[in-house]
Amino acid sequence: MTTTSASSTPGQAVTDSLVIDDLRASVDGKPILNGVNLTVPKGQVHALMGPNGSGKSTLANVLLGHPKYQATGGHVWFKGQDLLTLPTDERARAGLFLGFQYPLELPGVRLNNFLRLALKARRGKDVTHIESWRLIQGKMKELEMDEYFAARYLNEGFSGGEKKRNEVLQMAVLEPEMAILDEIDSGLDIDALRIVAGGINKLAGPNMGVLLITHYQRLLTYIEPDVVHVFVGGRVVQSGGKELAKELEAQGYDHIIKETAAAV
């Protein structure tokens, strides 16, 4: 097992990797992230695992610029830019995507209209109804989703599995270069988990990096990560191969938490 590191020099940041360098952040004045160092190359799947309260979701929200989460130090490099200097919409246009742990419901907003507007914002130019519908239709077919989804209000009345499949559909339509998926397995039964994981596997590839945030190894039964990172106390404390996830499943996080505390 190794500890990850990242460089803060702009010359090394001009890559397709997401490079998080000594990132620190607070929520309501309370420090949560305590020097996160992590690099996710485009084309790879990295799993970030850790116990409740370790700061995993805070990291996801800081990366996409949620106003409640205040970055207090460090850098986040992507495509030669420090994302911390950009507003949320520009981070999304740069190619970042956040899949929510608890997707919001938007009554009155049909999914197909939402996706067309999101696609317009992502591309920075208008998208016709016909063009967007053809794209959405194709992606739904690819993900084996019923077309009736597109006519429903966004997440209203959706089951947990349907909400997460909708997150995967949004990712398919927007074609991000770096996807951050915050506990996309949360609340899913085994059948829904298999379907959602299958959708992610279809989209993952050389054109997209994935940071997969999860508590449990069960998701990694269906999505094989290139690297597994352990997140404790607001920072990455260990990294390794997929066998690390199996070790965590068998032994839990207690021994790592104790080792981390002893090392401070």
Side-chain angles (χ1 to χ4, degrees), residues 160-194:
E162 288 173 336
K163 287 181 178 180
K164 299 303 175 71
R165 291 184 74 187
N166 182 32
E167 294 290 287
V168 176
L169 174 61
Q170 291 176 42
M171 183 167 63
V173 170
L174 296 177
E175 297 182 334
E177 295 172 60
M178 190 64 59
I180 298 143
L181 304 179
D182 185 15
E183 298 195 32
I184 201 162
D185 53 334
S186 176
L188 300 184
D189 62 30
I190 193 67
D191 291 325
L193 177 65
R194 187 183 298 112

Side-chain angles (χ1 to χ4, degrees), residues 237-254:
V237 297
Q238 287 184 2
S239 296
K242 60 184 179 181
E243 70 281 352
L244 178 55
K246 294 179 180 179
E247 178 186 322
L248 292 171
E249 186 75 6
Q251 300 182 19
Y253 294 103
D254 284 350

Side-chain angles (χ1 to χ4, degrees), residues 65-80:
H66 192 299
K68 178 182 176 183
Y69 300 82
Q70 183 65 48
T72 57
H75 303 274
V76 180
W77 298 108
F78 184 60
K79 296 168 69 174

Side-chain angles (χ1 to χ4, degrees), residues 11-162:
Q12 291 176 304
V14 185
T15 69
D16 287 331
S17 297
L18 177 69
V19 181
I20 304 170
D21 175 34
D22 197 30
L23 179 62
R24 300 171 185 275
S26 299
V27 179
D28 297 327
K30 179 182 178 181
I32 303 295
L33 302 184
N34 299 301
V36 180
N37 291 304
L38 177 64
T39 298
V40 183
K42 189 174 177 180
Q44 291 190 8
V45 176
H46 285 223
L48 187 70
M49 303 181 68
N52 283 325
S54 59
K56 302 186 304 299
S57 291
T58 294
L59 175 61
N61 282 286
V62 170
L63 292 177
L64 267 294
H66 192 299
K68 178 182 176 183
Y69 300 82
Q70 183 65 48
T72 57
H75 303 274
V76 180
W77 298 108
F78 184 60
K79 296 168 69 174
Q81 302 181 88
D82 187 350
L83 295 180
L84 299 182
T85 67
L86 303 178
T88 298
D89 61 327
E90 290 188 26
R91 300 184 197 194
R93 277 196 291 272
L96 258 67
F97 174 87
L98 175 60
F100 291 99
Q101 181 179 0
Y102 303 109
L104 296 175
E105 296 184 10
L106 293 179
V109 178
R110 296 196 186 280
L111 175 57
N112 58 350
N113 291 331
F114 170 82
L115 288 173
R116 184 176 71 85
L117 292 174
L119 188 61
K120 176 182 176 181
R122 168 81 167 98
R123 293 181 176 179
K125 61 181 182 180
D126 197 17
V127 181
T128 67
H129 285 278
I130 293 175
E131 182 185 1
S132 66
W133 175 238
R134 284 176 178 168
L135 176 60
I136 294 166
Q137 218 175 10
K139 296 300 184 182
M140 294 184 90
K141 184 176 181 180
E142 182 182 340
L143 296 172
E144 300 178 17
M145 293 178 68
D146 232 306
E147 287 185 13
Y148 84 94
F149 268 97
R152 295 174 66 180
Y153 295 143
L154 184 64
N155 290 324
E156 185 179 33
F158 282 27
S159 67
E162 288 173 336

